[in-house]
Amino acid sequence: MSNNNTSSGYNLKVVLLGEGCVGKTSLLLRYIEDKFNDKHFSTLQATFLNKKININNKRINLAIWDTAGQEKFHALGPIYYRNSNGAILVYDITDEDSFVKVKNWVKELKKMLGSDIVLVIAGNKIDLEHERTVPLEEAESYAIMVGAKHCYTSAKLNQGVENLFLELTQQMIEKHDQTSQVGGSRTSRVLVVDDEIPVQSSCCSGSKSNH
Amino acid sequence: MPSLRIDQSDLKCKNGCEYFGNPQWQGYCSKCHREQMIRQRRAEKASGSTTATLPKKEQKKSDRANKLNSSFSKFEEKRLRQSETLKLKLSSVFKKSSTADDHSQSTEKRSQEFKIPNAVMEGMKRDFRTRFPTLTHQVDHDARAFVHSFIMDVIKCANIMTVDELSERVQRQYQRFMKHMDSSQHFQDVDADTKEMLIDFVEKHAMTYLHELPSVVFSPSGTEDERLDRAMSERIQQLAWVGERHLDCKLDRADPECRLLLYKAISELLGMDSAASPGGKLARVRRCCRHVVALCGAPASADDLLPALIFTVLKANPPRLVSNVNYVTRFSNAQRLMTGEAGYYFTNLCCALSFIENLTAESLSMDKKEFDCYMAMPASIGGSAWVRRVT
């Protein structure tokens, strides 16, 4: 049902997924604040962000949605990531469990959305490098295996955050252009049919005449 | 989305003739239903009574409702009757008038009867002028003509389509209008933001009118929406004892400002039912969630927002919640639901609903026995009196 390609540019939706306390919200907050910092904008919420950006003269409306990370809300995932173009899967490099959670999310997303969705895995808290428990090679080889980009970030030191979102956006644009060309995407399938569907006139009168 | 649940008994005409029945014809086949309606109307005329004899199935339904709430059942009866007359009107407009019976003469008259009232069209004209004073006359004309054809199309299809098909058709209408704006010369000088506002304008006026028609787009016939509304409301009543600590919300009972924000959020959520267009309902959800965000303290995160919103929904117990949510999901412009602020908050509301529906002892991190104990309590005794106590 999503119609991404209007004259106003691309509409892209991104969800942030990951366990509580891995710093999803801090990443988003950092991204929001950087934009507004010079305007002395006091941030009221870091739950979602709508941002208009220009990449290669393309107008992009980026909608970034944070999700509740508590375990008891895990089952609500599909409601959040419906119609998403991209997902950022965040884990804490000092917390192995959070990386296991990321693997679970990847499995679920692949199952539900197939390859329609662009995945980026973000290892957050690299300012705590000395406490790292998730091995660097393991994380990176896993990302390659599932076809996801891997990024390192530190929301605290503002490292890699801007790059993370930029990288993801570029990939989503590529994916979007690809699927539009192939023409097999759900987007174009909905768009093609825009003329009148003939009304089934036989519905009422047909059964009547049978009597 | 409603599931396809079909009983064998639902399939055949209730009159016992060979043909298939249809829930929209109260389980009769088209012929028997028509005969039944004619009989009914004659009987009405004869007795001079105003109450339509409800077919068996509906009577049972309202009996059950009667036990729950007599005033509600009256309302429901009235609604059923209304929707019946409307269906008659509509079906007589669109069926071929070749059938020769005592109906055929009135068919002509009826087809003229069904028109979008002038007042509606005039209101739309005025609204356009105030909202878009700078746009050209052609844009004005195109937009209003589109709303007109949109409404007529939905009414035409409502009787023969399932709600999912109808929803898809409405979405296609929005897309068609967008396409028209992109290709038509009339819209050459209109910028992208104004185009979005024009889509909102079309949605508002088309859906506001359709919303008034019973069982067409709001709690459409053939769906479970009404039953689910009641189930949800009862469920929330039963969960009245759930407090902020069960949900791990950081709310400060003692703080008057915090209480004020909660009341504001609750009242916006209650107001959702009274808005007619999907955009209007979404605006209420947005305002509600802004209060909830403020309630969580800045900067609020999604981890705070969802539990606090669940708490707000539980305390508000908004009327016809499922119907309202389904109506927005089906008939609001899908693109807005996917992005925008309102879309995000609405998605959280959907999450809250799903959580409440499926909530268990585990999801409240409670002991199973304690949970069962609370759930067995009559709803009136339970209740964390958060709202009541402080008033």
Side-chain angles (χ1 to χ4, degrees), chain B residues 18 119 159 165 176 262 278 303 314 322 346:
Chain B
E18 295 269 298
N159 260 4
E165 288 166 340
R176 236 173 62 186
L262 183 70
D303 293 358
L314 285 175
V322 178
F346 181 74

Side-chain angles (χ1 to χ4, degrees), chain B residues 206-226:
Chain B
M207 293 319 288
T208 300
Y209 179 69
L210 290 166
H211 182 267
E212 299 302 310
L213 309 177
S215 305
V216 174
V217 287
F218 192 87
S219 302
S221 50
T223 64
E224 298 252 277
D225 288 10
E226 268 190 66

